Amino acid sequence: MAEPAVPDFLRNQLEERERSRVVGVERRLKEGQEFKDKEQNVQEFERQFNKEQTSLKDLLKSSGLERGRTAEETDGYVTGLWDGLATMKNVLSAKLAYLPPFKVQQAQDALHDLEAQVCSCRDRLKPKRRFAFSARIGKTASTRVDAAAVCVTDEVAKKPHPKEILCGLHDLRGEVVTMRDHEVRGRDVTLSALDHCTVLLRGEPASLHVSDVTGSSVVCGPVSSSVFLSRCARCTLAVRSQQLRVHACTACDVYVRLASRAVLEASHDVGFAPFPDSLDQVLGTDPSPTADNWNLVDDFDWLVAGQPSPNWRVIPPTERREDWTAVSGTSFI
């Protein structure tokens, strides 16, 4: 006896119910995988962050050995502290999208505490001291600061420098300065309190610190570790580096070739663009073979997942500087 035919409306209902069931199963499987992936990312973050945190704390504990260090070794040690801190921040920024808010807050609290310890250690190992430029013998002698050129005068006692500078430039207005390879290679270079200056660093510094600079342009050769840009306004920076940290800066353009993600803090209207290939010829360096992450920026003040930070932007190709001779001038040639 033949089975009775199933009405079309009932068949359609059964097929729709089966499709809904399949979609529901697939959705639950996907949600389960996403949850598993999120948990794995959280665990990976904790493993990497705790590892770097332990390494930095161990490095801080060894600061008591400073009596056996030379000045150059002390500089390298302090740079290592800053690099360790930057690595921890990069670990946090890389996994930021997967972390619950309370873990982000815990990590930021740990970073702030360690940053305070690093600053305290730096100030103890490289204490602030007052200084003035040595007797002026032409522009070059008056603008460069080196260990041999630092001295104390009654005039400077009224206006102490915010921190020691072993290699770099400080307190200049409207100057165009070139520092050669033998002056900066392997050293921690500091540029501070510059106003409407143009600076070319032809060598390869160990690190570069640019702070309290206004309306100036800085072009630098490859930096072996980190670049720190702090409290700058209306400046242009062109540099190749492993790491970049931008803190409390406004209306600055950064042309950069980076091996890691840049970190932005307390900053506004910061533009990013790729490092111009033409500057490799000006600097006399070979193009970097490493990955270029010039447009990967983590803003620690913007934690809204899926929405771009309003504090930084990609400089449109039509607005990027092309004629760098206007920046470098004849002193760069």
Side-chain angles (χ1 to χ4, degrees), residues 37-310:
D37 292 343
K38 183 175 180 179
E39 286 296 306
Q40 289 177 344
N41 276 283
V42 171
Q43 293 173 4
E44 180 67 13
F45 162 76
E46 291 177 337
R47 184 188 67 79
Q48 293 180 352
F49 191 84
N50 292 336
K51 177 183 176 181
E52 297 298 336
Q53 185 178 30
T54 300
S55 297
L56 182 55
K57 286 182 176 180
D58 290 342
L59 192 60
L60 282 165
K61 290 178 182 179
S62 68
S63 63
L65 302 175
E66 67 267 18
R67 292 182 179 179
R69 294 192 180 103
T70 64
E72 185 176 352
E73 289 172 339
T74 299
D75 290 343
Y77 173 76
V78 173
T79 298
L81 293 177
W82 286 115
D83 288 347
L85 195 65
T87 300
M88 289 181 62
K89 291 187 176 183
N90 286 337
V91 171
L92 173 60
S93 63
K95 301 293 184 181
L96 201 57
Y98 303 98
L99 302 179
F102 77 93
K103 284 195 176 293
V104 174
Q105 187 60 52
Q106 288 178 349
Q108 289 181 332
D109 290 343
L111 285 168
H112 291 159
D113 179 63
L114 284 170
E115 186 167 10
Q117 293 183 50
V118 170
C119 289
S120 176
C121 182
R122 177 204 60 195
D123 292 342
R124 179 168 56 83
L125 296 181
K126 303 174 63 175
K128 302 174 183 178
R129 67 181 183 182
R130 300 165 181 170
F131 81 96
F133 297 114
S134 58
R136 292 178 175 266
I137 307 176
K139 178 185 292 187
T140 300
S142 66
T143 57
R144 300 182 186 181
V145 182
D146 211 316
V150 178
C151 61
V152 179
T153 66
D154 294 337
E155 179 181 358
V156 175
K158 301 176 184 177
K159 186 181 179 182
H161 184 260
K163 69 179 184 179
E164 179 186 37
I165 292 180
L166 294 179
C167 176
L169 307 168
H170 171 66
D171 196 17
L172 300 180
R173 302 290 181 273
E175 300 279 5
V176 177
V177 184
T178 297
M179 297 187 70
R180 304 293 175 179
D181 180 76
H182 69 277
E183 296 176 284
V184 302
R185 177 176 289 273
R187 306 187 69 179
D188 298 318
V189 178
T190 297
L191 308 177
S192 68
L194 307 183
D195 184 14
H196 288 84
C197 293
T198 299
V199 179
L200 174 67
L201 306 176
R202 279 191 175 277
E204 300 182 10
S207 67
L208 175 63
H209 300 253
V210 184
S211 61
D212 303 297
V213 176
T214 303
S216 299
S217 297
V218 177
V219 176
C220 182
V223 177
S224 59
S225 59
S226 302
V227 175
F228 301 94
L229 193 63
S230 178
R231 300 183 303 277
C232 297
R234 303 183 305 281
C235 292
T236 298
L237 173 72
V239 67
R240 290 163 43 185
S241 176
Q242 295 294 316
Q243 300 171 338
L244 171 67
R245 176 183 172 188
V246 181
H247 178 76
C249 293
T250 303
C252 291
D253 288 342
V254 182
Y255 294 79
V256 67
R257 189 177 297 155
L258 277 178
S260 61
R261 302 173 70 95
V263 174
L264 196 72
E265 298 174 297
S267 299
H268 306 281
D269 191 22
V270 178
F272 288 86
F275 185 87
D277 293 336
S278 60
L279 284 182
D280 286 318
Q281 299 177 357
V282 174
L283 294 165
T285 56
D286 296 327
S288 173
T290 59
D292 188 5
N293 300 314
W294 66 269
N295 59 344
L296 300 182
V297 181
D298 293 317
D299 184 357
F300 277 13
D301 297 315
W302 185 258
L303 303 180
V304 181
Q307 297 185 22
S309 167

Side-chain angles (χ1 to χ4, degrees), residues 26-39:
E26 291 177 347
R27 184 183 68 252
R28 287 191 293 273
L29 289 173
K30 182 179 179 181
E31 290 174 349
Q33 184 61 44
E34 289 178 349
F35 179 80
K36 182 178 179 181
D37 292 343
K38 183 175 180 179
E39 286 296 306

